[in-house]
Amino acid sequence: MKKRILLGLISVFKALYNAVYAVMKLRPMQKKVVMISRQSNSQRPDFEQLGAEIEARDPGVRLVYLCREMGDTPLELLRYCFHLLHCAAELSTAHVCIIDGYCIPVSVLHHRKELRVVQVWHALGAIKKFGRQALSVPGGRDKELAERMGMHKHYDAVLCASHRTAKAYEEAFGVSADKMRVTGVPRVDAILKMNRARCRRRFFAAYPELRGQKIVLYAPTFRDGEQMPEIEPLITAAEKMGMLLIVRLHPLDRERLERRRVLPKFRECPEFGTFTLMAVADAVITDYSAISIEASLIKKPVYFYVYDLERYKETRGLNFDPLAEMPHCAFTKAEPLVDSILHTPYDYEKLTAFRKEFVETDDTNNTQRCVDLIMTFLTEGIRRDK
């Protein structure tokens, strides 16, 4: 009963939203690129790189950045409703829209034929299944609700860094192979151009007592629902065996942790971003996060702590099984993992093979190739509009 009511409310919302959008579309189109994200309330690094390259090529292009998290309080949701209207107003006169995740305005609105939508997913690859790959499974979205919300519809191009990732994205976004573009993504440029020496200087200026210690970053993926990543066994094993562990939780997991009565003690270094911590670390531990791919780009030893592997495969699904494909650095128990980091030589040849599997565009021209496509779409849209 509740689901039927929700489906009905979604239908009413779509009808009203599209009615307002129809009026907005009566205005003339502009030479404009709109970038929309709900990953954070601040401008996304990928968008900054794309915007800078577009502006360098044609200063006459109007760039609009619309970044806002949905939130879960009544006030945040009200603000997000106004944000949706703002998105619709900008989309109604744009030739190109760039997004980095599921975007309600892109998926539910009926757009002009001149608009082209480019998906630049916010992760470098897809270790875990997501989107349409994970519909109606315990860790995924409800299929009927996803269909009613037009989940991942209206994409004209999806950018990625390898053919293996392209195959996963085809399934996750429900797009045909001809819409996949292995151009690379701006994130690759950012990682390869990162000044790691400067990152280390800044970090050790803040934490001089950590110099000379083996530093390991643990960055688990976000799990939908109420399940938190298991951090206590790894914290305990690291402390027992003398390994310095920095934990970087997903922001939503950090909020969940705050609601616990008893908080485990661990080092976070919150003043530094994930890329900085990755540059400083001697090794990176994750589970099903694409940070494993990012770390491989700068040749950091990557380890997988997959204590819930079988359950995760059943409830969410994987595009890459660490235990099957990289057994030398995948562990289901914390102590053997820490012992391997401290005492077993790392297999860098297998890390290189892993990197090549997920990043075929490991150069610093990814942003340029992305903008080549975006400018083509923009030029074609302006031509059609005349």
Side-chain angles (χ1 to χ4, degrees):
M1 184 66 178
K2 288 182 179 179
K3 184 176 173 180
R4 262 183 291 174
I5 292 172
L6 183 56
L7 289 169
L9 289 173
I10 290 172
S11 295
V12 172
F13 161 73
K14 288 171 64 177
L16 292 174
Y17 198 21
N18 272 289
V20 173
Y21 191 53
V23 176
M24 292 175 172
K25 288 187 293 184
L26 296 175
R27 299 174 300 161
M29 296 192 74
Q30 302 174 21
K31 190 178 183 181
K32 179 171 66 175
V33 175
V34 178
M35 305 188 208
I36 305 176
S37 174
R38 61 190 184 109
Q39 300 302 312
S40 73
N41 292 323
S42 56
Q43 191 165 310
R44 303 291 294 163
D46 285 355
F47 288 178
E48 289 180 0
Q49 291 170 263
L50 293 170
E53 181 68 18
I54 293 169
E55 189 172 20
R57 296 193 192 189
D58 187 346
V61 177
R62 184 180 167 219
L63 299 170
V64 179
Y65 303 94
L66 300 170
C67 303
R68 178 171 286 279
E69 293 177 289
M70 183 177 289
D72 51 13
T73 67
L75 181 59
E76 287 172 331
L77 292 173
L78 179 62
R79 286 175 177 163
Y80 198 76
C81 288
F82 284 106
H83 172 72
L84 291 179
L85 287 173
H86 188 187
C87 290
E90 296 292 357
L91 282 174
S92 66
T93 57
H95 281 100
V96 177
C97 175
I98 303 168
I99 57 178
D100 66 350
Y102 169 65
C103 179
I104 293 172
V106 163
S107 292
V108 306
L109 292 174
H110 304 309
H111 303 291
R112 296 183 196 242
K113 65 180 186 300
E114 294 87 358
L115 180 68
R116 292 292 177 267
V117 178
V118 180
Q119 171 66 260
V120 186
W121 190 246
H122 58 268
L124 187 48
I127 302 295
K128 63 185 179 183
K129 292 190 175 183
F130 72 101
R132 291 181 169 271
Q133 289 182 306
L135 291 180
S136 294
V137 299
R141 307 294 181 189
D142 179 275
K143 185 175 182 179
E144 199 171 357
L145 291 175
E147 293 295 348
R148 190 65 59 93
M149 286 298 293
M151 188 181 194
H152 296 308
K153 286 193 173 180
H154 303 148
Y155 299 166
D156 295 288
V158 178
L159 311 187
C160 65
S162 75
H163 286 85
R164 176 165 181 167
T165 299
K167 184 61 180 175
Y169 283 5
E170 284 177 42
E171 298 172 0
F173 299 132
V175 299
S176 54
D178 63 295
K179 293 186 177 180
M180 298 305 308
R181 301 285 195 279
V182 185
T183 55
V185 290
R187 183 172 294 246
V188 175
D189 292 347
I191 294 170
L192 292 178
K193 290 179 179 178
M194 178 171 52
N195 188 331
R196 282 174 271 166
R198 181 174 178 272
C199 289
R200 292 181 67 83
R201 284 196 301 272
R202 288 178 56 238
F203 180 84
F204 288 117
Y207 297 97
E209 71 279 9
L210 302 186
R211 285 186 184 275
Q213 297 193 51
K214 191 175 183 71
I215 299 173
V216 177
L217 173 65
Y218 176 41
T221 193
F222 173 70
R223 287 159 167 78
D224 292 308
E226 291 302 313
Q227 186 185 9
M228 278 278 298
E230 189 176 281
I231 61 176
E232 285 91 341
L234 192 54
I235 293 169
T236 301
E239 186 175 349
K240 175 183 174 182
M241 303 172 75
M243 185 180 80
L244 196 151
L245 188 71
I246 298 175
V247 180
R248 176 49 52 92
L249 294 174
H250 187 282
L252 294 177
D253 277 330
R254 194 67 190 79
E255 289 179 16
R256 290 172 174 173
L257 198 65
E258 290 292 343
R259 295 196 288 267
R260 289 189 181 183
R261 290 187 178 181
V262 181
L263 297 180
K265 292 182 179 179
F266 57 91
R267 190 182 291 273
E268 293 185 272
C269 306
E271 67 271 40
F272 293 104
T274 303
F275 280 6
T276 297
L277 295 179
M278 186 171 71
V280 168
D282 297 294
V284 174
I285 303 172
T286 186
D287 43 19
Y288 318 110
S289 168
I291 194 175
S292 55
I293 306 170
E294 294 165 353
S296 74
L297 273 175
I298 55 173
K299 300 178 176 61
K300 291 288 178 180
V302 174
Y303 294 85
F304 298 90
Y305 179 39
V306 288
Y307 58 89
D308 62 345
L309 180 66
E310 294 306 319
R311 183 171 74 247
Y312 200 88
K313 285 196 289 188
E314 291 175 6
T315 59
R316 182 60 179 258
L318 294 171
N319 294 308
F320 170 85
D321 183 335
L323 205 56
E325 299 194 53
M326 292 189 70
H328 67 288
C329 60
F331 299 83
T332 58
K333 302 291 183 182
E335 287 202 12
L337 167 57
V338 174
D339 184 70
S340 178
I341 293 173
L342 294 175
H343 304 119
T344 304
Y346 193 78
D347 191 333
Y348 283 94
E349 287 187 10
K350 288 180 179 172
L351 181 69
T352 299
F354 171 75
R355 184 183 77 244
K356 289 180 177 179
E357 187 81 7
F358 285 97
V359 186
E360 297 170 26
T361 60
D362 58 346
D363 56 38
T364 55
N365 299 315
N366 288 259
T367 303
Q368 292 180 24
R369 289 189 292 268
C370 294
V371 173
D372 286 344
L373 178 65
I374 291 164
M375 297 306 289
T376 298
F377 280 160
L378 185 63
T379 303
E380 291 175 350
I382 293 171
R383 190 181 301 128
R384 284 193 300 270
D385 191 34
K386 289 181 178 178

